[in-house]
Amino acid sequence: MSSNFLEADVGAVLAGVFRDSSGVVYAVNPTRETISEVIFGLHEVETPPTVRLLAPGDPIKDVLADFIVAGRAADLVDAGTLALRVLEEPPEASLLVTESAVVSLVAGDDRVGGLSAADEAFVADVRDRYGREWDAAEDYSLRTPPLSAVRETLAADIGTDTAEDFDALLDSLAVAKGEGEGLDEVAIALLVAARNGQLLYDMSKWGEDVGLASKATFSRMKTRLEDSGLVTTEKVPIDVGRPRLRLRLAEDLREMDLTELGQIAQEQLYD
């Protein structure tokens, strides 16, 4: 890799670097936007390199608070395509260090440049530096399960209709952090469960088993959805023990498409 990149956005620069790279690429001190674009960009490359992402803890945490991003990051981590570690003393620049070049990311007013240096001795020196930084850095603990595992287990344990609705509602959101920035993953799961008449017990057990959230978190969100007028429950008797609760959407929401349901849910939960 010897050429510079000049593109409309950082995602396009990353795509060019990833297409031209093999082996290990260090992504050093990426911005929040770049962390997100690294994750989405790796999903788009047919044969992606292995990216070792070194960044301060706060930007990683902020980006991965969004389930849309975190679930995809977990897929990459699970596949061995991405690893995350916390960089204590980041450099001023944001760098991509491939096996053949050092690329500095520079944002202009309307374009992003990837300025490349390919001198072999310089590249080797920089790779050695960040190899040492990587070895000394702490792993970032990503607690979100892989999105592929969420989808597969939801279809298998709960039902394909609920899993398809989960995907559709998630895809309708620009962000899935909760607390006014979209719906979080537990709210999404419970809304689509209510749309399909699933039991709270089954959903919360599935969610805890797959690592999405605890049963207590599901129970608290169910209460918030009820208090907001979005969901109702019906008691379902069982042979032994307390009745189970079947989730239902509020009557005036049952004919809504998922995009509209998501918008209404955000308004009523967080306004």
Side-chain angles (χ1 to χ4, degrees):
M1 183 191 304
S2 59
S3 61
N4 294 325
F5 296 86
L6 191 59
E7 302 288 354
D9 54 48
V10 69
V13 173
L14 292 172
V17 173
F18 292 159
R19 282 195 304 268
D20 290 353
S21 302
S22 59
V24 173
V25 174
Y26 291 93
V28 182
N29 195 32
T31 64
R32 286 165 174 79
E33 178 190 5
T34 302
I35 294 172
S36 180
E37 292 292 350
V38 165
I39 291 164
F40 284 102
L42 286 172
H43 277 281
E44 298 297 323
V45 181
E46 186 174 348
T47 307
T50 298
V51 172
R52 293 178 174 178
L53 193 149
L54 272 166
D58 286 345
I60 301 177
K61 182 179 179 181
D62 290 347
V63 172
L64 297 184
D66 182 352
F67 178 73
I68 295 171
V69 183
R72 287 167 173 79
D75 275 324
L76 296 169
V77 171
D78 196 51
T81 305
L82 176 69
L84 305 165
R85 290 191 180 177
V86 177
L87 187 62
E88 295 295 338
E89 297 183 8
E92 291 184 6
S94 181
L95 305 174
L96 297 171
V97 186
T98 76
E99 293 189 343
S100 60
V102 177
V103 182
S104 179
L105 299 176
V106 181
D109 287 337
D110 57 359
R111 288 188 292 180
V112 175
L115 308 182
S116 178
D119 179 83
E120 289 185 10
F122 177 69
V123 173
D125 183 59
V126 175
R127 284 186 68 83
D128 284 347
R129 172 185 172 180
Y130 289 111
R132 294 192 301 271
E133 294 268 13
W134 179 264
D135 291 341
E138 292 186 4
D139 286 329
Y140 182 86
S141 178
L142 178 58
R143 296 181 176 86
T144 304
L147 185 55
S148 58
V150 172
R151 289 168 167 159
E152 290 165 9
T153 57
L154 185 55
D157 297 350
I158 305 298
T160 55
D161 288 346
T162 304
E164 288 172 0
D165 282 354
F166 182 92
D167 274 348
L169 183 49
L170 186 65
D171 288 346
S172 75
L173 301 172
V175 62
K177 289 186 176 182
E179 298 306 324
E181 294 187 76
L183 301 168
D184 70 18
E185 56 271 30
V186 177
I188 294 167
L190 289 176
L191 284 168
V192 300
R195 195 171 193 255
N196 289 276
Q198 304 293 350
L199 297 178
L200 174 63
Y201 175 85
D202 292 343
M203 289 300 298
S204 59
K205 183 178 185 306
W206 160 78
E208 189 164 78
D209 287 348
V210 78
L212 201 67
S214 68
K215 291 178 181 177
T217 300
F218 272 83
S219 181
R220 288 192 294 270
M221 180 55 73
K222 185 271 298 182
T223 299
R224 286 186 64 183
L225 293 169
E226 279 189 301
D227 291 346
S228 299
L230 296 164
V231 164
T232 63
T233 55
E234 302 170 357
K235 289 184 178 180
V236 179
I238 57 176
D239 292 337
V240 179
R242 297 172 60 186
R244 301 275 164 83
L245 296 176
R246 187 176 303 282
L247 300 164
R248 300 285 190 191
L249 286 179
E251 190 170 352
D252 59 332
L253 305 179
R254 293 174 187 174
E255 300 304 318
M256 285 185 180
D257 64 33
L258 286 160
T259 298
E260 188 176 6
L261 175 62
Q263 292 171 347
I264 295 296
Q266 289 179 66
E267 292 171 4
Q268 294 186 207
L269 275 174
Y270 303 119
D271 283 359

